Amino acid sequence: MDYLEISRIFEEKSQEMNFFESFETMHLKNNLLNIFKNDTKQLIFLIGEPGVGKSAFVNHLENENNENINIIKFDIPFLEPVDFIKTLIKKSKEEVKDFSIEGLIKQVVSIYKNSNYVVIIDEAQLLSKDMIEVIRILADSKAFWFILVMHKHESKNILNAPQFSSRPHKILELNHLQKNEYKDYIYLKLKDINKPYLLEELSFKYLNFIYKNTKGNFREFKKMLHTAFLLLNYAQNNHKHKYQKLSKCILTMAAIEGGLIDV
């Protein structure tokens, strides 16, 4: 059994090629498209606990061909207002005509005011006060939709800021996976490497244990399986015969390694 190969399919990657569309992400996408269709341009706050798949979702949204929206996404929130606006102008293939903040804002609003662009900023809880103020101004101009992606427990300060709380906005939350979706995800990943027969062992014998310890958190779920198969690979390479098959013991060690179980 090539346990190293299996471990790699569960390795955490926010830029996943094969996006897993859970009930939560499907519901979230439908809500977003409904907002884009029926509401005026405004701020949308996408919140959720770390590890639920917010970054993977907006990456998927960016890469999906949707005729109704155009997306400009920023993965790094450490932006200077001038550089941020200049980037938006250059994305339109226009030349920057003025380097003052007032002139840049006027130009970018003029370019995008009749378009249907969505600006997505990931890890938005890290935005500076100056950037928050520029986003407020651009949101008021109705030139853009904004999706600010942030951790739920760090979002309160931004959501309660007067720049945003007093203006039209939507708050959407991405929640945890359901237990049956663990089984679906495991099956899809194992099928990719022609090992779907492992599904029975993982899903029927250990699914409750995995779900109990990861609590529906997508990142923790993948990390636990990734670590478990790395442990099996180590046991195989070092002739630890007792630990060469998937077991509750191996999964417990993986959970301890991931900080899911205190010892």
Side-chain angles (χ1 to χ4, degrees):
M1 184 75 71
D2 190 347
Y3 289 128
L4 186 59
E5 179 192 17
I6 300 171
S7 74
R8 287 172 179 153
I9 67 172
F10 295 112
E11 194 171 3
E12 170 68 11
K13 305 180 190 77
S14 63
Q15 305 267 1
E16 285 193 71
M17 294 296 291
N18 299 316
F19 175 71
F20 178 65
E21 189 165 58
S22 66
F23 172 81
E24 279 292 319
T25 56
M26 196 184 321
H27 181 63
L28 180 59
K29 184 166 68 174
N30 288 338
N31 279 346
L32 275 174
L33 295 177
N34 187 55
I35 290 169
F36 294 149
K37 182 179 180 181
N38 297 307
D39 284 300
T40 57
K41 290 177 183 176
Q42 59 188 279
L43 286 156
I44 300 170
F45 297 94
L46 173 54
I47 65 173
E49 292 183 9
V52 295
K54 301 182 299 298
S55 295
F57 172 75
V58 293
N59 288 335
H60 170 70
L61 200 65
E62 180 187 28
N63 295 325
E64 188 178 50
N65 293 323
N66 194 308
E67 297 177 359
N68 299 318
I69 56 171
N70 299 292
I71 290 175
I72 301 173
K73 185 164 69 68
F74 295 85
D75 295 314
I76 301 172
F78 302 109
L79 304 163
E80 291 297 327
V82 168
D83 295 331
F84 172 62
I85 301 174
K86 283 165 63 177
T87 300
L88 292 175
I89 292 170
K90 290 175 182 177
K91 288 283 186 182
S92 72
K93 310 300 183 185
E94 296 279 342
E95 293 291 328
V96 176
K97 297 178 180 178
D98 190 329
F99 289 90
S100 69
I101 192 69
E102 294 83 3
L104 288 168
I105 289 173
K106 185 176 179 181
Q107 184 183 358
V108 79
V109 169
S110 175
I111 291 170
Y112 286 99
K113 63 182 179 182
N114 295 318
S115 66
N116 199 26
Y117 271 81
V118 181
V119 177
I120 300 176
I121 302 178
D122 203 0
E123 303 289 350
Q125 72 274 1
L126 301 174
L127 288 169
S128 68
K129 290 182 179 179
D130 289 342
M131 270 298 298
I132 289 173
E133 180 60 18
V134 165
I135 290 170
R136 178 198 66 79
I137 293 169
L138 294 180
D140 283 352
S141 75
K142 302 298 182 183
F144 302 95
W145 292 93
F146 277 93
I147 299 178
L148 302 184
V149 184
M150 60 185 75
H151 296 166
K152 182 178 180 179
H153 64 283
E154 294 178 323
S155 65
K156 291 182 180 178
N157 289 339
I158 291 181
L159 291 173
N160 292 331
Q163 299 99 313
F164 297 144
S165 61
S166 61
R167 287 173 166 79
H169 66 272
K170 294 281 191 301
I171 301 173
L172 301 178
E173 183 172 357
L174 184 59
N175 291 303
H176 293 132
L177 292 179
Q178 299 174 9
K179 185 164 66 174
N180 65 301
E181 292 178 315
Y182 274 29
K183 181 180 174 181
D184 295 339
Y185 183 77
I186 291 168
Y187 173 75
L188 288 171
K189 287 300 180 181
L190 292 175
K191 186 180 177 184
D192 285 344
I193 58 170
N194 296 315
K195 290 183 172 61
Y197 52 85
L198 275 172
L199 176 68
E200 182 174 353
E201 203 169 357
L202 269 171
S203 292
F204 295 108
K205 291 180 72 173
Y206 303 118
L207 189 64
N208 287 336
F209 181 80
I210 296 168
Y211 191 79
K212 177 183 175 183
N213 284 283
T214 58
K215 300 179 174 64
N217 185 290
F218 200 13
R219 181 185 298 155
E220 299 293 356
F221 160 55
K222 290 185 287 185
K223 185 168 70 173
M224 185 175 176
L225 291 180
H226 174 65
T227 304
F229 284 106
L230 284 179
L231 289 170
L232 289 167
N233 180 66
Y234 175 85
Q236 192 176 64
N237 291 338
N238 290 275
H239 311 292
K240 306 288 184 181
H241 300 291
K242 183 179 177 181
Y243 302 105
Q244 288 184 22
K245 288 187 177 181
L246 193 64
S247 64
K248 189 174 179 180
C249 176
I250 288 289
L251 290 169
T252 300
M253 287 191 285
I256 292 170
E257 176 68 22
L260 300 173
I261 295 178
D262 292 328
V263 291

